Amino acid sequence: MKNEKLKVEIVNFKTSLDYAYNLEQVIEIINTSPADFLLFPEVCLTGFDYENWDEVNNFGEYAVDKLSKINKSFALTLIYKNKNYFCFFDQGLKYKRAKYNLFGNEKEYFEVGEKPEIFEWNNLKIANLICFELRFIDYWQNFRGVDLIFVPARWGKERIEHFKTLNKALALSTQSQVITCNSANEYAYGCSFNAWGKGVEITDKSAIVEIDINENKKIRKKLNIGIK
């Protein structure tokens, strides 16, 4: 990136029962946002609608096609082919990975995906964890020194303090910028923590945060932490 600064919108999104309406809202938010990048909560288009599982999967494939036509950069998770995919769009679908660590009754419906990994975007090292995967700290070691870690989630309200603590600990341990967005259907929460663990927490509405990539690079250089 030229100026090493990135405006990210953490989108406080509540999923309705109408998939098409949800998709329309997501597209409108993306197209009208002044941010460089937007992060939405986990399965924001359909939720975990197990009673209509075939419809959920079919809609996921339809949504990928519609979202791929948008000339913006954003990420969310979508359900299709019986997997929960983290989808990273940048003028088309540039990267996807299906959730590996399934939680509760997800194991009855989803196929296991791939372990979290690092990919590149605009000369930045990017990683992501999907909701429950945040608890598996083995991934943290592999992420040391990446530029950005995205965590879309649908974390239950009764465990939200765990969620907040883990995200800050992830930023501190990896010396990376961690950006998370939790579903408003559970508990509207988002955060952006830098490599010092400093940042903002969002609980009532969407917000745009400005990330200084150079600041995190300076911190990592000072502490001599890099990608293994």
Side-chain angles (χ1 to χ4, degrees):
M1 298 183 65
K2 293 181 179 180
N3 61 7
E4 295 293 330
K5 290 191 176 180
L6 181 70
K7 289 182 179 179
V8 176
E9 181 168 356
I10 300 171
V11 184
N12 181 348
F13 192 88
K14 188 170 185 178
T15 302
S16 76
L17 297 176
D18 187 334
Y19 308 160
Y21 173 79
N22 297 331
L23 179 58
E24 289 175 5
Q25 294 302 302
V26 165
I27 291 174
E28 181 178 357
I29 291 168
I30 295 169
N31 285 333
T32 58
S33 175
D36 302 310
F37 185 88
L38 298 91
L39 181 65
F40 290 85
E42 183 183 22
V43 296
C44 65
L45 296 184
T46 60
F48 293 106
D49 189 1
Y50 297 128
E51 293 183 1
N52 300 290
W53 196 235
D54 288 342
E55 184 179 349
V56 167
N57 278 275
N58 290 335
F59 190 81
E61 294 199 55
Y62 168 77
V64 168
D65 181 63
K66 296 290 287 187
L67 294 171
S68 293
K69 297 174 182 177
I70 300 176
N71 189 27
K72 293 286 285 287
S73 303
F74 57 96
L76 71 170
T77 84
L78 295 167
I79 298 171
Y80 63 100
K81 297 181 180 178
N82 295 316
K83 292 184 178 181
N84 183 359
Y85 284 98
F86 171 81
C87 294
F88 190 101
F89 293 87
D90 180 32
Q91 301 180 52
L93 180 60
K94 298 301 183 185
Y95 172 83
K96 68 176 182 178
R97 177 188 69 85
K99 190 174 185 178
Y100 183 79
N101 299 99
L102 304 176
F103 178 73
N105 60 357
E106 291 176 11
K107 298 174 184 178
E108 299 177 21
Y109 294 89
F110 288 99
E111 295 179 15
V112 173
E114 303 79 37
K115 289 186 177 181
E117 59 186 2
I118 297 168
F119 64 100
E120 291 193 15
W121 173 64
N122 284 354
N123 296 317
L124 298 175
K125 299 291 185 180
I126 311 291
N128 90 283
L129 296 168
I130 304 171
C131 199
F132 183 58
E133 292 177 336
L134 182 62
R135 288 192 178 274
F136 295 82
I137 61 175
D138 288 349
Y139 301 139
W140 300 16
Q141 184 73 11
N142 295 331
F143 291 168
R144 290 179 67 186
V146 304
D147 295 297
L148 299 169
I149 303 175
F150 294 112
V151 188
R154 195 178 174 101
W155 202 280
K157 182 177 181 179
E158 66 276 14
R159 295 180 294 277
I160 201 66
E161 291 303 319
H162 299 178
F163 188 60
K164 295 178 182 181
T165 300
L166 287 167
N167 277 289
K168 181 171 283 191
L170 176 61
L172 289 168
S173 66
T174 59
Q175 300 302 305
S176 303
Q177 185 82 35
V178 172
I179 303 169
T180 189
C181 187
N182 197 55
S183 172
N185 294 72
E186 300 294 337
Y187 182 88
Y189 177 79
C191 70
S192 178
F193 293 129
N194 72 6
W196 282 136
K198 297 179 181 179
V200 297
E201 297 184 23
I202 300 155
T203 58
D204 59 346
K205 58 183 179 180
S206 301
I208 295 177
V209 295
E210 186 173 82
I211 297 162
D212 188 337
I213 301 298
N214 274 327
E215 181 182 5
N216 283 316
K217 288 181 177 179
K218 290 176 183 177
I219 295 170
R220 291 198 297 275
K221 185 176 181 181
K222 182 176 181 179
L223 297 176
N224 195 28
I225 291 178
I227 299 173
K228 292 193 171 185

